[in-house]
Amino acid sequence: MRILVVEDDVNLNRQLADTLKEAGYVVDQAFDGEEGHFLGDTEPYDAIILDIGLPEMDGVTVLEKWRSAGRGVPVLILTARDRWSDKVAGIDAGADDYVTKPFHVEEVLARIRALIRRAAGHSSSEIICGPVRLDTKSSKATVNGTTLKLTSHEYRLLAYLMHHMGEVVSRTELVEHMYDQDFDRDSNTIEVFVGRLRKKMGVDLIETVRGLGYRIQAPKHAN
Ligand code: CA
């Protein structure tokens, strides 16, 4: 899962990015409204954290531009405590949720998890597919109750496929959601990660759809 953080307070931006990375997300950072707008307009993110008070272009304008261009990415806005009107303007502009400053980064993390999960149509923090359980809260996966020892890339790959259960996901899409913008991307590495993941899981869950990508089939009988 790939997140964009748009926040001009350098320390706060770094703190958010570090916390998100520790939780297994890939993070791009922008420090003003124009840069943030450009990235959100051109890169595929699973969620965006957007400060409202930004230089160059304010957060509400950034959000309005994304929404009028048809970008439906979940957006969490950050607002100042004494600026209740920013919340109203942000929500009216298309924000999905907000957090008021000062906040605990854990709260932002929990809200981002919920936004990503809801956008993918899952209401619980645990995504289950047959014997495999993905706990988005602890960033862990288990097969028949045994915790898998996954690298961050393997976890991101499994998490993305499980969030998009039933859909064919191309290698390009996986690369775009597993690496940040500065990474030297090579979609051939995906095949290697899929191979390792299959071996570690020991169950036949990830299906190769020839010429198109990969898919985790949704269980036929939902529980
Ligand atoms: Ca600010």
CSV table of all heavy atoms in Angstrom, one decimal, residues 1-2 26 43-46 120 156-157 159-180 185-188 190 211-215:
chain,number,residue,atom,x,y,z
A,1,MET,N,0.8,-1.2,0.0
A,1,MET,CA,0.0,0.0,0.0
A,1,MET,C,0.9,1.2,0.0
A,1,MET,O,1.8,1.3,0.8
A,1,MET,CB,-0.9,0.0,1.2
A,1,MET,CG,-1.8,-1.2,1.3
A,1,MET,SD,-3.1,-1.1,0.1
A,1,MET,CE,-3.5,-2.8,0.0
A,2,ARG,N,0.5,2.2,-0.9
A,2,ARG,CA,1.3,3.4,-1.0
A,2,ARG,C,0.6,4.6,-0.6
A,2,ARG,O,-0.5,4.8,-1.0
A,2,ARG,CB,1.7,3.5,-2.5
A,2,ARG,CG,2.8,4.5,-2.8
A,2,ARG,CD,3.2,4.3,-4.2
A,2,ARG,NE,4.0,5.4,-4.7
A,2,ARG,CZ,4.1,5.8,-5.9
A,2,ARG,NH1,3.6,5.0,-6.9
A,2,ARG,NH2,4.8,6.8,-6.3
A,26,VAL,N,4.4,2.0,1.9
A,26,VAL,CA,5.4,2.8,1.1
A,26,VAL,C,4.9,4.2,1.1
A,26,VAL,O,3.7,4.5,1.0
A,26,VAL,CB,5.4,2.2,-0.4
A,26,VAL,CG1,6.4,3.0,-1.2
A,26,VAL,CG2,5.7,0.8,-0.4
A,43,GLU,N,0.3,10.0,-9.6
A,43,GLU,CA,0.8,8.7,-9.0
A,43,GLU,C,-0.4,8.0,-8.4
A,43,GLU,O,-1.3,8.7,-7.8
A,43,GLU,CB,1.9,8.9,-8.0
A,43,GLU,CG,3.2,9.5,-8.5
A,43,GLU,CD,4.0,8.5,-9.4
A,43,GLU,OE1,3.9,7.3,-9.1
A,43,GLU,OE2,4.7,8.9,-10.3
A,44,PRO,N,-0.5,6.7,-8.4
A,44,PRO,CA,-1.6,6.0,-7.8
A,44,PRO,C,-1.3,5.7,-6.4
A,44,PRO,O,-0.5,4.9,-6.0
A,44,PRO,CB,-1.6,4.6,-8.6
A,44,PRO,CG,-0.2,4.4,-9.1
A,44,PRO,CD,0.5,5.7,-9.1
A,45,TYR,N,-2.1,6.3,-5.5
A,45,TYR,CA,-1.9,6.1,-4.0
A,45,TYR,C,-3.1,5.3,-3.5
A,45,TYR,O,-4.2,5.4,-4.0
A,45,TYR,CB,-1.8,7.4,-3.3
A,45,TYR,CG,-0.5,8.1,-3.6
A,45,TYR,CD1,-0.5,9.2,-4.5
A,45,TYR,CD2,0.7,7.6,-3.2
A,45,TYR,CE1,0.7,9.8,-4.9
A,45,TYR,CE2,1.9,8.2,-3.5
A,45,TYR,CZ,1.9,9.3,-4.3
A,45,TYR,OH,3.1,9.9,-4.7
A,46,ASP,N,-2.9,4.6,-2.4
A,46,ASP,CA,-4.0,3.9,-1.7
A,46,ASP,C,-4.7,4.8,-0.7
A,46,ASP,O,-5.8,4.6,-0.4
A,46,ASP,CB,-3.5,2.6,-1.1
A,46,ASP,CG,-2.9,1.7,-2.1
A,46,ASP,OD1,-3.7,1.2,-2.9
A,46,ASP,OD2,-1.7,1.5,-2.2
A,120,ALA,N,-11.5,-0.7,-0.2
A,120,ALA,CA,-11.4,-2.0,-0.8
A,120,ALA,C,-12.6,-2.9,-0.5
A,120,ALA,O,-12.7,-4.0,-0.9
A,120,ALA,CB,-10.1,-2.7,-0.4
A,156,ARG,N,3.8,-6.5,1.7
A,156,ARG,CA,3.1,-5.5,0.9
A,156,ARG,C,2.4,-6.2,-0.3
A,156,ARG,O,1.2,-5.8,-0.6
A,156,ARG,CB,4.1,-4.5,0.3
A,156,ARG,CG,4.5,-3.5,1.3
A,156,ARG,CD,5.5,-2.6,0.7
A,156,ARG,NE,6.4,-1.9,1.6
A,156,ARG,CZ,7.6,-1.5,1.4
A,156,ARG,NH1,8.1,-1.7,0.2
A,156,ARG,NH2,8.3,-1.0,2.4
A,157,LEU,N,3.0,-7.1,-0.9
A,157,LEU,CA,2.5,-7.9,-2.0
A,157,LEU,C,1.2,-8.6,-1.6
A,157,LEU,O,0.1,-8.5,-2.2
A,157,LEU,CB,3.5,-8.8,-2.6
A,157,LEU,CG,3.1,-9.7,-3.7
A,157,LEU,CD1,2.8,-8.9,-5.0
A,157,LEU,CD2,4.2,-10.7,-4.0
A,159,ALA,N,-0.6,-8.1,1.1
A,159,ALA,CA,-1.6,-7.2,1.6
A,159,ALA,C,-2.4,-6.6,0.4
A,159,ALA,O,-3.6,-6.5,0.4
A,159,ALA,CB,-1.0,-6.1,2.4
A,160,TYR,N,-1.7,-6.2,-0.6
A,160,TYR,CA,-2.3,-5.6,-1.8
A,160,TYR,C,-3.3,-6.5,-2.5
A,160,TYR,O,-4.4,-6.2,-2.8
A,160,TYR,CB,-1.3,-5.0,-2.8
A,160,TYR,CG,-2.0,-4.1,-3.8
A,160,TYR,CD1,-2.2,-2.7,-3.4
A,160,TYR,CD2,-2.4,-4.5,-5.0
A,160,TYR,CE1,-2.8,-1.9,-4.3
A,160,TYR,CE2,-3.1,-3.6,-5.9
A,160,TYR,CZ,-3.3,-2.3,-5.5
A,160,TYR,OH,-3.9,-1.5,-6.4
A,161,LEU,N,-2.8,-7.8,-2.7
A,161,LEU,CA,-3.6,-8.8,-3.4
A,161,LEU,C,-4.8,-9.1,-2.5
A,161,LEU,O,-5.9,-9.3,-3.0
A,161,LEU,CB,-2.8,-10.0,-3.7
A,161,LEU,CG,-1.8,-9.9,-4.8
A,161,LEU,CD1,-0.9,-11.2,-4.8
A,161,LEU,CD2,-2.5,-9.7,-6.1
A,162,MET,N,-4.7,-9.2,-1.2
A,162,MET,CA,-5.8,-9.6,-0.3
A,162,MET,C,-6.8,-8.4,-0.2
A,162,MET,O,-8.0,-8.7,-0.1
A,162,MET,CB,-5.3,-10.0,1.1
A,162,MET,CG,-4.7,-11.4,1.0
A,162,MET,SD,-4.6,-12.3,2.5
A,162,MET,CE,-6.2,-12.7,3.0
A,163,HIS,N,-6.3,-7.2,-0.2
A,163,HIS,CA,-7.3,-6.1,-0.2
A,163,HIS,C,-8.1,-6.1,-1.5
A,163,HIS,O,-9.2,-5.5,-1.6
A,163,HIS,CB,-6.5,-4.7,-0.1
A,163,HIS,CG,-6.3,-4.3,1.3
A,163,HIS,ND1,-5.2,-4.8,2.0
A,163,HIS,CD2,-7.0,-3.5,2.2
A,163,HIS,CE1,-5.2,-4.3,3.3
A,163,HIS,NE2,-6.3,-3.5,3.4
A,164,HIS,N,-7.5,-6.6,-2.6
A,164,HIS,CA,-8.2,-6.6,-3.9
A,164,HIS,C,-8.6,-8.0,-4.3
A,164,HIS,O,-8.5,-8.3,-5.5
A,164,HIS,CB,-7.2,-5.9,-4.9
A,164,HIS,CG,-7.0,-4.5,-4.6
A,164,HIS,ND1,-7.8,-3.5,-5.0
A,164,HIS,CD2,-6.0,-3.9,-3.8
A,164,HIS,CE1,-7.3,-2.3,-4.6
A,164,HIS,NE2,-6.3,-2.5,-3.8
A,165,MET,N,-9.0,-8.8,-3.3
A,165,MET,CA,-9.4,-10.1,-3.5
A,165,MET,C,-10.4,-10.2,-4.7
A,165,MET,O,-11.3,-9.4,-4.8
A,165,MET,CB,-10.1,-10.6,-2.3
A,165,MET,CG,-9.6,-12.0,-1.8
A,165,MET,SD,-10.6,-12.5,-0.5
A,165,MET,CE,-10.2,-11.4,0.9
A,166,GLY,N,-10.2,-11.2,-5.5
A,166,GLY,CA,-11.2,-11.4,-6.6
A,166,GLY,C,-10.8,-10.6,-7.9
A,166,GLY,O,-11.4,-10.9,-9.0
A,167,GLU,N,-9.9,-9.7,-7.8
A,167,GLU,CA,-9.5,-8.9,-8.9
A,167,GLU,C,-8.2,-9.4,-9.5
A,167,GLU,O,-7.3,-9.8,-8.7
A,167,GLU,CB,-9.3,-7.4,-8.5
A,167,GLU,CG,-10.5,-6.7,-8.0
A,167,GLU,CD,-10.2,-5.3,-7.4
A,167,GLU,OE1,-9.2,-4.7,-7.9
A,167,GLU,OE2,-10.9,-4.9,-6.5
A,168,VAL,N,-8.0,-9.2,-10.8
A,168,VAL,CA,-6.7,-9.5,-11.4
A,168,VAL,C,-5.9,-8.2,-11.2
A,168,VAL,O,-6.3,-7.2,-11.6
A,168,VAL,CB,-6.8,-9.9,-12.9
A,168,VAL,CG1,-5.5,-10.1,-13.5
A,168,VAL,CG2,-7.7,-11.1,-13.1
A,169,VAL,N,-4.7,-8.4,-10.6
A,169,VAL,CA,-3.9,-7.2,-10.4
A,169,VAL,C,-2.6,-7.4,-11.3
A,169,VAL,O,-1.9,-8.4,-11.2
A,169,VAL,CB,-3.5,-7.1,-8.9
A,169,VAL,CG1,-2.6,-5.9,-8.7
A,169,VAL,CG2,-4.7,-7.1,-8.0
A,170,SER,N,-2.3,-6.4,-12.1
A,170,SER,CA,-1.2,-6.5,-13.0
A,170,SER,C,0.1,-6.3,-12.3
A,170,SER,O,0.1,-5.7,-11.2
A,170,SER,CB,-1.3,-5.5,-14.1
A,170,SER,OG,-1.1,-4.2,-13.7
A,171,ARG,N,1.2,-6.7,-12.9
A,171,ARG,CA,2.5,-6.5,-12.3
A,171,ARG,C,2.8,-5.1,-12.1
A,171,ARG,O,3.4,-4.6,-11.1
A,171,ARG,CB,3.6,-7.3,-13.1
A,171,ARG,CG,3.5,-8.8,-12.9
A,171,ARG,CD,4.8,-9.4,-13.3
A,171,ARG,NE,5.0,-9.3,-14.8
A,171,ARG,CZ,6.0,-9.9,-15.4
A,171,ARG,NH1,6.9,-10.6,-14.8
A,171,ARG,NH2,6.1,-9.8,-16.7
A,172,THR,N,2.4,-4.3,-13.1
A,172,THR,CA,2.7,-2.8,-13.1
A,172,THR,C,2.0,-2.2,-11.9
A,172,THR,O,2.5,-1.4,-11.2
A,172,THR,CB,2.2,-2.2,-14.4
A,172,THR,OG1,2.6,-2.9,-15.5
A,172,THR,CG2,2.6,-0.7,-14.5
A,173,GLU,N,0.7,-2.6,-11.7
A,173,GLU,CA,-0.1,-2.1,-10.6
A,173,GLU,C,0.6,-2.4,-9.3
A,173,GLU,O,0.7,-1.6,-8.4
A,173,GLU,CB,-1.5,-2.6,-10.6
A,173,GLU,CG,-2.4,-2.0,-9.6
A,173,GLU,CD,-3.9,-2.5,-9.7
A,173,GLU,OE1,-4.2,-3.0,-10.8
A,173,GLU,OE2,-4.6,-2.3,-8.7
A,174,LEU,N,1.1,-3.7,-9.2
A,174,LEU,CA,1.7,-4.1,-7.9
A,174,LEU,C,3.0,-3.3,-7.7
A,174,LEU,O,3.2,-2.8,-6.6
A,174,LEU,CB,2.1,-5.6,-8.0
A,174,LEU,CG,0.9,-6.5,-7.8
A,174,LEU,CD1,1.3,-7.9,-8.2
A,174,LEU,CD2,0.4,-6.5,-6.4
A,175,VAL,N,3.8,-3.1,-8.7
A,175,VAL,CA,5.0,-2.3,-8.6
A,175,VAL,C,4.7,-0.9,-8.1
A,175,VAL,O,5.3,-0.3,-7.2
A,175,VAL,CB,5.8,-2.2,-9.9
A,175,VAL,CG1,6.8,-1.1,-9.9
A,175,VAL,CG2,6.4,-3.6,-10.2
A,176,GLU,N,3.6,-0.3,-8.7
A,176,GLU,CA,3.2,1.1,-8.4
A,176,GLU,C,2.8,1.2,-6.9
A,176,GLU,O,2.9,2.3,-6.3
A,176,GLU,CB,2.1,1.6,-9.3
A,176,GLU,CG,2.6,2.0,-10.6
A,176,GLU,CD,1.5,2.3,-11.6
A,176,GLU,OE1,0.3,2.0,-11.3
A,176,GLU,OE2,1.8,2.9,-12.6
A,177,HIS,N,2.2,0.2,-6.4
A,177,HIS,CA,1.8,0.2,-5.0
A,177,HIS,C,2.7,-0.3,-3.9
A,177,HIS,O,2.4,-0.3,-2.8
A,177,HIS,CB,0.4,-0.4,-4.9
A,177,HIS,CG,-0.7,0.3,-5.6
A,177,HIS,ND1,-1.5,1.3,-5.0
A,177,HIS,CD2,-1.0,0.3,-6.9
A,177,HIS,CE1,-2.3,1.8,-5.9
A,177,HIS,NE2,-2.0,1.3,-7.0
A,178,MET,N,3.8,-0.9,-4.4
A,178,MET,CA,4.8,-1.5,-3.5
A,178,MET,C,6.1,-0.7,-3.3
A,178,MET,O,6.8,-0.9,-2.4
A,178,MET,CB,5.2,-2.9,-3.9
A,178,MET,CG,4.1,-3.9,-3.7
A,178,MET,SD,4.5,-5.5,-4.4
A,178,MET,CE,6.1,-5.9,-3.7
A,179,TYR,N,6.3,0.3,-4.2
A,179,TYR,CA,7.5,1.0,-4.2
A,179,TYR,C,7.2,2.5,-4.2
A,179,TYR,O,6.2,3.0,-4.8
A,179,TYR,CB,8.4,0.7,-5.4
A,179,TYR,CG,8.8,-0.7,-5.5
A,179,TYR,CD1,8.4,-1.5,-6.5
A,179,TYR,CD2,9.7,-1.3,-4.5
A,179,TYR,CE1,8.8,-2.8,-6.7
A,179,TYR,CE2,10.0,-2.6,-4.6
A,179,TYR,CZ,9.6,-3.4,-5.7
A,179,TYR,OH,9.9,-4.7,-5.8
A,180,ASP,N,8.1,3.3,-3.6
A,180,ASP,CA,7.9,4.8,-3.6
A,180,ASP,C,8.4,5.3,-4.9
A,180,ASP,O,9.0,4.6,-5.7
A,180,ASP,CB,8.5,5.5,-2.4
A,180,ASP,CG,10.0,5.3,-2.3
A,180,ASP,OD1,10.7,5.4,-3.4
A,180,ASP,OD2,10.5,5.0,-1.2
A,185,ARG,N,12.2,0.9,-10.3
A,185,ARG,CA,11.2,-0.2,-10.4
A,185,ARG,C,11.5,-1.2,-11.5
A,185,ARG,O,11.8,-0.8,-12.6
A,185,ARG,CB,9.8,0.4,-10.6
A,185,ARG,CG,9.4,1.3,-9.4
A,185,ARG,CD,8.3,2.1,-9.9
A,185,ARG,NE,7.9,3.1,-8.9
A,185,ARG,CZ,6.9,3.9,-9.1
A,185,ARG,NH1,6.2,3.9,-10.2
A,185,ARG,NH2,6.6,4.8,-8.1
A,186,ASP,N,11.3,-2.4,-11.1
A,186,ASP,CA,11.4,-3.5,-12.1
A,186,ASP,C,10.3,-4.5,-11.9
A,186,ASP,O,10.3,-5.2,-10.9
A,186,ASP,CB,12.8,-4.1,-12.0
A,186,ASP,CG,13.0,-5.3,-12.9
A,186,ASP,OD1,12.1,-5.5,-13.7
A,186,ASP,OD2,14.1,-6.0,-12.8
A,187,SER,N,9.4,-4.6,-12.8
A,187,SER,CA,8.3,-5.4,-12.6
A,187,SER,C,8.6,-6.9,-12.6
A,187,SER,O,7.8,-7.8,-12.2
A,187,SER,CB,7.1,-5.1,-13.6
A,187,SER,OG,7.5,-5.5,-14.9
A,188,ASN,N,9.8,-7.3,-13.1
A,188,ASN,CA,10.3,-8.7,-13.1
A,188,ASN,C,10.5,-9.2,-11.7
A,188,ASN,O,10.4,-10.4,-11.4
A,188,ASN,CB,11.5,-8.9,-13.9
A,188,ASN,CG,11.3,-8.7,-15.4
A,188,ASN,OD1,10.2,-9.2,-15.9
A,188,ASN,ND2,12.2,-8.0,-16.1
A,190,ILE,N,8.6,-8.7,-9.2
A,190,ILE,CA,7.3,-9.2,-8.7
A,190,ILE,C,7.2,-10.7,-8.7
A,190,ILE,O,6.8,-11.3,-7.8
A,190,ILE,CB,6.2,-8.5,-9.4
A,190,ILE,CG1,6.2,-7.0,-9.2
A,190,ILE,CG2,4.8,-9.1,-9.0
A,190,ILE,CD1,6.0,-6.5,-7.8
A,211,GLY,N,-0.5,-13.5,-18.8
A,211,GLY,CA,-0.5,-12.2,-19.5
A,211,GLY,C,-1.1,-11.0,-18.9
A,211,GLY,O,-1.1,-9.9,-19.3
A,212,LEU,N,-1.8,-11.3,-17.7
A,212,LEU,CA,-2.5,-10.2,-17.1
A,212,LEU,C,-2.0,-9.9,-15.7
A,212,LEU,O,-1.9,-8.7,-15.3
A,212,LEU,CB,-4.0,-10.5,-17.0
A,212,LEU,CG,-4.8,-10.7,-18.3
A,212,LEU,CD1,-6.2,-11.1,-18.0
A,212,LEU,CD2,-4.8,-9.3,-19.0
A,213,GLY,N,-1.7,-10.9,-14.9
A,213,GLY,CA,-1.1,-10.6,-13.6
A,213,GLY,C,-1.5,-11.7,-12.6
A,213,GLY,O,-1.4,-12.9,-12.9
A,214,TYR,N,-1.9,-11.3,-11.4
A,214,TYR,CA,-2.1,-12.2,-10.3
A,214,TYR,C,-3.5,-12.0,-9.7
A,214,TYR,O,-4.0,-10.9,-9.7
A,214,TYR,CB,-1.0,-12.1,-9.2
A,214,TYR,CG,0.3,-12.4,-9.8
A,214,TYR,CD1,1.2,-11.4,-10.1
A,214,TYR,CD2,0.8,-13.7,-10.0
A,214,TYR,CE1,2.4,-11.6,-10.7
A,214,TYR,CE2,2.0,-14.0,-10.5
A,214,TYR,CZ,2.9,-12.9,-10.9
A,214,TYR,OH,4.1,-13.2,-11.4
A,215,ARG,N,-4.0,-13.0,-9.1
A,215,ARG,CA,-5.3,-12.9,-8.4
A,215,ARG,C,-5.4,-13.8,-7.2
A,215,ARG,O,-4.9,-15.0,-7.2
A,215,ARG,CB,-6.4,-13.2,-9.4
A,215,ARG,CG,-7.8,-13.3,-8.8
A,215,ARG,CD,-8.9,-13.4,-9.8
A,215,ARG,NE,-8.7,-14.5,-10.7
A,215,ARG,CZ,-9.3,-14.7,-11.9
A,215,ARG,NH1,-10.1,-13.8,-12.3
A,215,ARG,NH2,-9.0,-15.8,-12.6
